[in-house]
């Protein structure tokens, strides 16, 4: 992080940290207008943050001093900014209109992007209109996406978010966990003859996905015979050879490229299940929403740039106020999985402690992301946000219109009331004026000064949804640049994969090889082995 620019931010934080949002609003009638920006169908009101115009100027100077503009251009133009993997980062190309060109190593990637999109559209239409039939001639009624991480969370979250746009006769299911229960419970809900499995894996090596795909394939072959696999399995991957080795014909494979990171892959062929659910036209509108936010991020002045503003506010709280987490609170049930999706996007991207020079950073980087839809959260964890000892900045996400309008005014009344209460709180004198007995005043007083962003759009549509996801993608990117960390690798995840492979051998080998872990792990594995032996001898006796 640029130390001079950060020191200048902290100088201003030290001057302003005792100001209360209540007073900032009282003193400045123009505050809400001053701290509101809009793009791609979204309005961001960030006036309920602990900022002054001067502090915002200094935060924006931090972004400039970090070379943000240059880095944005580098990403959009296909430079290999994922340096530890030697790759470009071009999820933005996936949403480009056909006339744009973007070169990776001198080759325009756009023709390939549009060829795959065309193939996805043709296939989705065939599944949706019943033209693609299963082995016994019946149309598809169930689509099962088998993938994990970015190959699951994006389409799973989006299928739920855009459910009002989905074709009712088709049901999408998602299997990710290697716990067999996940697959087993989905298989109870589907008919083999009418089920299409989409195996989604960038690498086509991921343990969980390969285990689930293998079991699903065995289940289907057991019901309909091996010859049925061709009509019931398609793949999304970057690795054609591995897809073919699994037994899926390459013509039923939808490709993408190494420059699409898993957690940024929803708009690639990874979104195939979503396109089948909502149809190519709605999918295209979603891409247009993504593109509108991409263009806003690429071209808007930093002081009006939604992702940049949100990134800077996040850094203010993480690094200036020591906040450990932020909450994402969508007031729309269709966005129930949005926080889970953002957890991977943000925490896998910026959960890094080494900077781009290979040095350990001396400040906090990626925060913990969590959240639930309002109003459920209000009856669960909001107490801690209102009166706990920790500072938890929140993003409130809401819509002026609902797809299910019956209670919408009530829902939105809560939405607006919460951000106001968090900002202004309730003083001891206000409690007394309400007749609160003196001994209860400390408990019924709310400090307030709890910062929130409010994101408001007219309606949850494919376009506003796409713009929302892109907004967070670029927020995360901006924070990575300012923290000077690499946001597009995930070496930390590799460690777990390697270790699990070694332990699996130790659990399953007949000769139970000697264990060389720490004493705790040795004892736990020994206990598990004993239980496994007992279960095996019980089933041998029956
Ligand atoms: O969780 C680690 C990870 O590498 C993610 O980045 C990725 O989205 C996920 O595994 C799945 O990988 P793949 O698509 O190759 O199966």
């Amino acid at each position: 992080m640029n130390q001079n620019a950060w020191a200048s931010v902290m100088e201003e934080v030290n001057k302003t940290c005792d100001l209360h949002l209540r007073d900032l609003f009282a003193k400045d009638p123009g505050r809400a207008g001053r701290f509101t920006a809009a793009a791609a169908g979204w309005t961001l009101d960030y006036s309920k943050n602990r900022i002054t115009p001067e502090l915002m100027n200094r935060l924006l100077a931090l972004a400039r001093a970090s070379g943000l503009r240059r880095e944005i251009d580098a990403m959009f133009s296909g430079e290999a900014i994922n340096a530890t993997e030697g790759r470009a980062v071009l999820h933005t190309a996936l949403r480009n209109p056909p006339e744009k060109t973007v070169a990776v190593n001198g080759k325009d990637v756009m023709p390939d992007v549009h060829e795959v999109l065309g193939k996805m559209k043709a296939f989705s239409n065939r599944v949706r209109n019943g033209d693609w039939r299963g082995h016994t001639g019946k149309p598809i009624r169930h689509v099962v996406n088998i993938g994990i991480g970015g190959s699951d969370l994006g389409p799973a979250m989006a299928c739920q978010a855009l459910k009002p746009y989905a074709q009712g006769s088709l049901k999408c299911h998602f299997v990710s966990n290697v716990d067999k229960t996940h697959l087993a419970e989905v298989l109870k809900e589907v008919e083999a003859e009418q089920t299409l499995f989409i195996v989604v894996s960038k690498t086509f090596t991921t343990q969980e996905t390969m285990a689930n795909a293998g079991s699903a394939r065995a289940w289907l072959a057991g019901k309909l015979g091996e010859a049925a696999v061709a009509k019931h399995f398609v793949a999304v991957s970057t690795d054609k050879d591995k897809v073919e080795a699994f037994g899926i014909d390459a013509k039923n494979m939808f490709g993408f490229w190494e420059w699409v990171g898993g957690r940024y892959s929803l708009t690639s062929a990874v979104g195939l299940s979503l396109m089948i659910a909502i149809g190519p036209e709605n999918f295209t509108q979603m891409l247009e929403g993504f593109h509108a936010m991409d263009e806003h991020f690429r071209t808007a002045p930093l002081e009006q740039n939604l992702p940049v503003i949100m990134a800077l506010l996040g850094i203010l709280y993480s690094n200036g106020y020591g906040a450990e987490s932020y909450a994402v609170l969508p007031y729309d049930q269709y966005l129930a999985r949005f926080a889970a999706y953002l957890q991977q996007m943000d925490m896998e991207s910026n959960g890094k402690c080494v900077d781009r020079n290979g040095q350990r950073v001396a400040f906090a980087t990626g925060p913990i992301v969590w959240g639930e839809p309002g109003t459920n959260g209000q009856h669960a964890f909001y107490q801690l946000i209102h009166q706990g000892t920790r500072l938890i900045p929140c993003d409130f996400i809401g819509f002026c219109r609902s797809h299910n309008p019956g209670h919408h005014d009530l829902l939105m009344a809560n939405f607006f009331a919460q951000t106001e209460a968090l900002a202004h709180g309730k003083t001891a004198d206000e409690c007394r004026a309400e007749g609160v007995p003196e001994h209860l005043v400390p408990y019924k007083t709310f400090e307030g000064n709890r910062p929130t962003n409010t994101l408001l759009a007219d309606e949850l549509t494919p376009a506003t949804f796409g713009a929302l996801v892109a907004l967070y993608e670029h927020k995360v990117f901006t924070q990575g640049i300012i923290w000077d960390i690499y946001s597009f690798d995930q070496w930390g995840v590799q460690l777990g994969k390697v270790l699990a492979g070694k332990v699996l051998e130790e659990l399953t080998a007949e000769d139970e090889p000697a264990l060389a872990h720490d004493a705790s792990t040795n004892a736990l594995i020994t206990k598990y082995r004993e239980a496994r032996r007992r279960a095996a001898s019980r089933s041998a006796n029956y």
Side-chain angles (χ1 to χ4, degrees):
M1 186 149 65
N2 184 296
Q3 285 312 302
N4 289 340
W6 178 246
S8 156
V9 169
M10 281 312 291
E11 191 181 80
E12 196 58 22
V13 168
N14 291 332
K15 279 191 214 152
T16 55
C17 61
D18 292 331
L19 300 176
H20 196 289
L21 281 169
R22 205 185 299 132
D23 303 321
L24 290 171
F25 273 98
K27 278 191 203 128
D28 178 7
R31 182 176 174 83
R34 188 188 323 286
F35 294 130
T36 294
W42 284 95
T43 297
L44 167 67
D45 179 334
Y46 59 103
S47 62
K48 295 188 182 91
N49 280 286
R50 296 182 184 181
I51 48 169
T52 59
E54 180 54 23
L55 179 50
M56 256 340 268
N57 286 340
R58 291 187 186 209
L59 284 164
L60 288 161
L62 171 67
R64 288 191 192 96
S66 309
L68 179 60
R69 272 271 167 248
R70 189 185 61 242
E71 300 289 346
I72 292 173
D73 289 344
M75 175 171 73
F76 276 81
S77 64
E79 278 180 39
I81 62 165
N82 176 0
T84 62
E85 295 180 324
R87 292 176 183 169
V89 175
L90 266 183
H91 42 280
T92 51
L94 300 168
R95 332 34 121 127
N96 270 347
E99 62 278 7
K100 282 218 173 180
T101 59
V102 184
V104 174
N105 298 327
K107 182 182 179 257
D108 181 13
V109 299
M110 292 316 299
D112 286 349
V113 168
H114 285 284
E115 188 193 317
V116 173
L117 262 178
K119 187 172 169 181
M120 288 167 66
K121 287 177 185 174
F123 180 71
S124 299
N125 280 333
R126 289 188 68 192
V127 173
R128 285 165 65 82
N129 65 26
D131 187 24
W132 178 280
R133 293 189 174 248
H135 184 62
T136 59
K138 290 190 178 170
I140 298 301
R141 292 279 167 263
H142 295 275
V143 174
V144 181
N145 187 99
I146 299 179
I148 197 164
S151 298
D152 165 75
L153 284 162
M157 179 278 289
C159 275
Q160 191 162 351
L162 298 177
K163 212 169 177 182
Y165 298 86
Q167 180 167 304
S169 57
L170 271 165
K171 189 155 193 274
C172 285
H173 310 260
F174 292 85
V175 175
S176 53
N177 197 338
V178 76
D179 182 340
K180 184 78 182 283
T181 302
H182 204 175
L183 177 66
E185 286 299 326
V186 167
L187 294 183
K188 283 181 197 165
E189 288 181 44
V190 303
E191 289 283 331
E193 288 174 285
Q194 297 197 282
T195 299
L196 176 73
F197 292 93
I198 307 179
V199 184
V200 185
S201 176
K202 182 173 172 179
T203 54
F204 234 71
T205 56
T206 304
Q207 277 173 358
E208 294 89 339
T209 301
M210 291 302 109
N212 281 322
S215 296
R217 187 197 155 120
W219 174 85
L220 185 102
K223 300 249 175 214
L224 304 178
E226 192 61 32
V229 170
K231 282 284 175 195
H232 292 267
F233 275 79
V234 300
V236 175
S237 184
T238 57
D239 196 323
K240 182 163 159 273
D241 294 344
K242 293 207 173 69
V243 168
E244 287 179 325
F246 181 84
I248 296 175
D249 191 331
K251 70 177 190 302
N252 296 330
M253 167 182 158
F254 299 82
F256 62 116
W257 308 273
E258 65 166 25
W259 41 262
V260 181
R263 53 194 175 273
Y264 298 90
S265 64
L266 171 60
T267 50
S268 72
V270 169
L272 182 62
S273 55
L274 174 68
M275 191 192 272
I276 293 173
I278 65 173
E281 278 172 27
N282 285 316
F283 195 89
T284 302
Q285 283 175 25
M286 178 188 80
L287 295 183
E288 287 167 2
F290 269 94
H291 183 64
M293 187 59 79
D294 292 344
E295 284 302 282
H296 167 76
F297 178 55
R298 193 174 67 80
T299 60
L302 299 189
E303 58 276 15
Q304 291 161 27
N305 199 307
L306 269 60
V308 174
I309 294 167
M310 287 181 61
L312 290 171
L313 293 168
I315 287 175
L316 171 68
Y317 298 121
S318 288
N319 303 115
Y321 283 92
E324 296 268 309
S325 76
Y326 73 96
V328 179
L329 309 167
Y331 276 62
D332 192 305
Q333 189 60 28
Y334 288 122
L335 289 176
R337 296 283 289 157
F338 192 57
Y341 171 76
L342 285 186
Q343 283 176 334
Q344 188 200 13
M345 184 207 285
D346 200 331
M347 295 162 81
E348 200 169 85
S349 296
N350 286 343
K352 311 286 165 64
C353 60
V354 173
D355 70 15
R356 290 190 288 177
N357 295 310
Q359 303 299 312
R360 189 149 200 324
V361 295
F363 45 81
T365 58
I368 300 156
V369 187
W370 57 287
E372 280 290 323
T375 58
N376 290 358
Q378 287 177 213
H379 294 273
F381 52 77
Y382 277 38
Q383 166 63 36
L384 185 145
I385 301 176
H386 278 287
Q387 287 189 309
T389 53
R390 295 167 201 280
L391 178 69
I392 302 177
C394 305
D395 292 347
F396 279 71
I397 301 169
F399 299 91
C400 297
R401 286 195 304 277
S402 169
H403 289 283
N404 303 290
H407 309 159
H408 198 56
D409 292 339
L410 181 55
L411 175 71
M412 293 307 282
N414 279 280
F415 177 82
F416 297 119
Q418 284 295 328
T419 62
E420 187 171 32
L422 285 163
H424 296 263
K426 191 187 267 190
T427 62
D429 285 345
E430 284 167 343
C431 289
R432 289 186 191 104
E434 285 176 4
V436 172
E438 198 55 35
H439 71 283
L440 289 180
V441 166
Y443 304 102
K444 295 203 165 192
T445 298
F446 291 73
E447 282 174 7
N449 216 18
R450 287 0 190 205
T452 58
N453 289 318
T454 300
L455 279 163
L456 191 63
D458 276 349
E459 195 175 12
L460 179 56
T461 63
T464 55
F465 169 76
L468 180 68
V469 178
L471 165 60
Y472 279 91
E473 286 178 347
H474 300 318
K475 174 201 158 184
V476 168
F477 170 84
T478 300
Q479 293 188 328
I481 295 302
I482 293 174
W483 285 322
D484 196 24
I485 54 177
Y486 286 121
S487 298
F488 295 101
D489 58 21
Q490 56 285 317
W491 299 107
V493 186
Q494 308 303 327
L495 175 68
K497 289 185 186 173
V498 175
L499 291 183
K502 185 166 176 269
V503 175
L504 178 65
E505 269 174 43
E506 291 170 346
L507 296 183
T508 52
E510 284 291 314
D511 57 344
E512 298 195 351
L515 299 170
H517 303 274
D518 62 67
S520 158
T521 311
N522 284 348
L524 291 165
I525 292 177
T526 304
K527 202 169 172 55
Y528 182 83
R529 276 175 171 174
E530 282 162 14
R532 205 171 175 273
R533 240 182 286 125
R534 278 198 303 276
S537 80
R538 263 203 307 275
S539 61
N541 290 336
Y542 281 110

